[in-house]
């Protein structure tokens, strides 16, 4: 829901997201899947009032961002040579600003893609790789310089609010067609709630299996990423000088191991879900003309007519 313009401590959260693209692909499953893979890029930009779309570039999918002066940003993985990583998770991001009517306007805003020349100099952004947060910060900085940032990000005193962090969203969250506009606060928890809502509304076991795949995939699934998160948290705890930092690191490492063990236990759940057969409703019998009532003959249980059961 759009903000009513009143000034409150949560006014920043109430600001509406930029609208979703308006084309027929928005309602297709393949486009929605691409959109979900890029929400950590599109959501922070839409929070700033910038309209985004997903298109195919030279060799990979890109994010196209419309700017107020009719120029646009192209945010893409490496195109030549093409990235071999999945959409939305490249080895680096390249952001350029261009204009359809001014061929001389071409500006590299950000480039964290590794150089294809091993002996050549590397841009300082290369150390960030595919991390989206430095990319968003660089775009914020450059568009603010140009006066092209409709809604500048606002600082917050709430340590749990991450205004420029990547956001993962499902179809019920603000980044997916047909949803309400509300800025994420607990963005990762909101993403899981959205995924759960989608699972509850799945129309087939195949759709449910596809959602399980998002959680259980051994390479890119949520459980694998969650294990990596707790491992990283454990390493961060070791940086402290206190003894409790090492104790905490062990607890976090145990949590990572338990999460990965859960993934191994459930590794067949996706296939088992997909193999389930839904209950088929009984066919409707054709209507017959009404007959006058008559007495029914008495029957014993052995001679009673049987009813065929359907599945």
């Amino acid at each position: 829901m759009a903000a009513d313009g009143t000034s409150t401590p949560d006014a920043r959260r109430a600001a509406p997201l930029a609208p979703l693209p308006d084309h027929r692909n928005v309602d297709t499953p393949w486009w929605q899947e691409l959109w979900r893979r890029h929400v950590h890029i599109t959501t922070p930009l839409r929070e700033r009032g910038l309209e985004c779309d997903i298109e195919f570039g030279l060799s990979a999918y890109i994010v196209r961002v419309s700017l107020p002066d009719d120029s646009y940003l192209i945010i893409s993985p490496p195109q030549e040579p093409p990235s071999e990583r999945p959409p939305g998770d490249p080895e680096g991001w390249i952001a350029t600003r261009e204009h359809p009517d001014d061929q001389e306007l071409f500006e590299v805003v950000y480039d964290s893609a590794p150089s294809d020349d091993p002996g050549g100099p590397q841009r300082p952004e290369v150390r960030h790789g595919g991390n989206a947060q430095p990319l968003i910060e660089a775009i914020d900085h450059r568009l603010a310089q140009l006066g092209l940032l409709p809604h500048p990000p606002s600082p917050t005193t709430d340590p749990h609010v991450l205004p420029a962090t990547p956001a993962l969203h499902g179809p019920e969250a603000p980044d997916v067609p047909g949803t309400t506009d509300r800025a994420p606060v607990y963005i990762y928890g909101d993403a899981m709630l959205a995924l759960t809502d989608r699972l509850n509304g799945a129309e087939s076991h195949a759709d449910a299996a596809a959602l399980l795949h998002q959680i259980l995939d051994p390479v890119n699934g949520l459980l694998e990423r969650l294990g990596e998160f707790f491992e990283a948290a454990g390493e961060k705890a070791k940086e402290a000088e206190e003894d409790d930092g090492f104790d905490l690191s062990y607890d976090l490492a145990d949590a990572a191991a338990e999460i990965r063990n859960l993934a191994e236990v459930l590794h067949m759940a996706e296939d088992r879900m997909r193999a389930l057969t839904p209950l088929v409703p009984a066919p409707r019998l054709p209507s017959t003309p009404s007959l006058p009532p008559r007495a029914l003959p008495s029957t014993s249980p052995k001679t009673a007519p049987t009813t065929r059961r359907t599945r």
Side-chain angles (χ1 to χ4, degrees):
M1 183 177 295
D4 58 7
T6 57
S7 177
T8 68
D10 291 334
R12 182 187 64 82
R13 302 181 195 176
L17 297 175
L20 290 160
D22 183 16
H23 52 70
R24 61 184 181 181
N25 290 335
V26 171
D27 296 323
T28 62
W30 66 266
W31 189 91
Q32 292 180 6
E33 175 63 22
L34 286 171
W35 184 262
R36 280 190 291 274
R37 288 177 178 268
H38 290 85
V39 290
H40 55 303
I41 303 294
T42 59
T43 295
L45 296 177
R46 292 179 63 219
E47 288 174 349
R48 290 149 175 76
L50 299 170
E51 296 183 20
C52 303
D53 200 356
I54 306 294
E55 301 176 355
F56 192 78
L58 296 175
S59 61
Y61 287 98
I62 64 173
V63 178
R64 183 186 180 100
V65 185
S66 300
L67 299 178
D69 66 345
D70 295 330
S71 64
Y72 56 87
L73 295 176
I74 297 295
I75 304 173
S76 74
Q79 300 275 324
E80 295 179 348
S83 173
E84 297 181 355
R85 295 176 63 89
D89 183 28
E91 56 270 63
W93 291 104
I94 304 170
T96 60
R97 177 172 170 252
E98 307 173 35
H99 197 289
D101 300 323
D102 184 358
Q103 301 301 318
E104 295 183 358
L105 195 161
F106 182 86
E107 174 187 5
V108 177
V109 177
Y110 182 85
D111 185 356
S112 65
S115 172
D116 55 3
D117 181 7
Q122 297 279 358
R123 294 174 61 95
E125 296 97 331
V126 170
R127 69 182 186 277
H128 298 306
N131 187 351
Q133 183 170 348
L135 165 68
I136 300 300
E137 291 173 351
I139 291 174
D140 277 343
H141 179 71
R142 182 55 180 153
L143 295 187
Q145 287 180 329
L146 298 171
L148 298 177
L149 202 58
H151 301 154
S154 300
T156 175
T157 57
D158 185 348
H160 298 99
V161 178
L162 307 177
T165 25
L168 306 176
H169 278 282
E172 296 273 335
D175 299 294
V176 178
T179 64
T180 58
D181 287 329
R182 64 179 181 87
V185 178
Y186 296 97
I187 51 180
Y188 306 104
D190 285 351
M192 282 308 304
L193 285 176
L195 196 65
T196 302
D197 288 343
R198 189 179 177 201
L199 180 62
N200 289 332
E203 297 181 355
S204 70
H205 290 96
D207 290 344
L211 295 174
L212 279 175
H213 178 78
Q214 296 291 322
I215 306 298
L216 302 176
D217 182 83
V219 177
N220 298 306
L222 177 65
L223 289 183
E224 175 60 24
R225 293 290 180 258
L226 196 56
E228 293 173 355
F229 174 84
F230 279 109
E231 283 183 344
E235 293 301 315
K236 181 60 65 175
K238 288 181 182 178
E239 296 177 5
E241 296 180 357
E242 296 91 342
D243 291 340
D244 191 51
F246 284 92
D247 293 339
L248 177 58
S249 72
Y250 297 145
D251 292 339
L252 293 168
D254 289 343
E258 291 181 12
I259 290 169
R260 289 200 168 96
N261 180 63
L262 177 62
E264 293 177 1
V265 170
L266 296 174
H267 76 283
M268 291 297 294
E270 177 187 345
D271 292 337
R272 292 171 63 189
M273 177 68 78
R274 185 173 286 106
L276 294 177
T277 303
L279 181 66
V280 178
R284 297 181 62 182
L285 298 176
S287 59
T288 57
S290 59
L291 298 176
R294 61 174 182 171
L296 297 177
S298 60
T299 60
S300 65
K302 294 183 180 179
T303 60
T306 59
T307 300
R308 183 179 180 181
R309 298 178 64 184
T310 61
R311 294 190 177 186

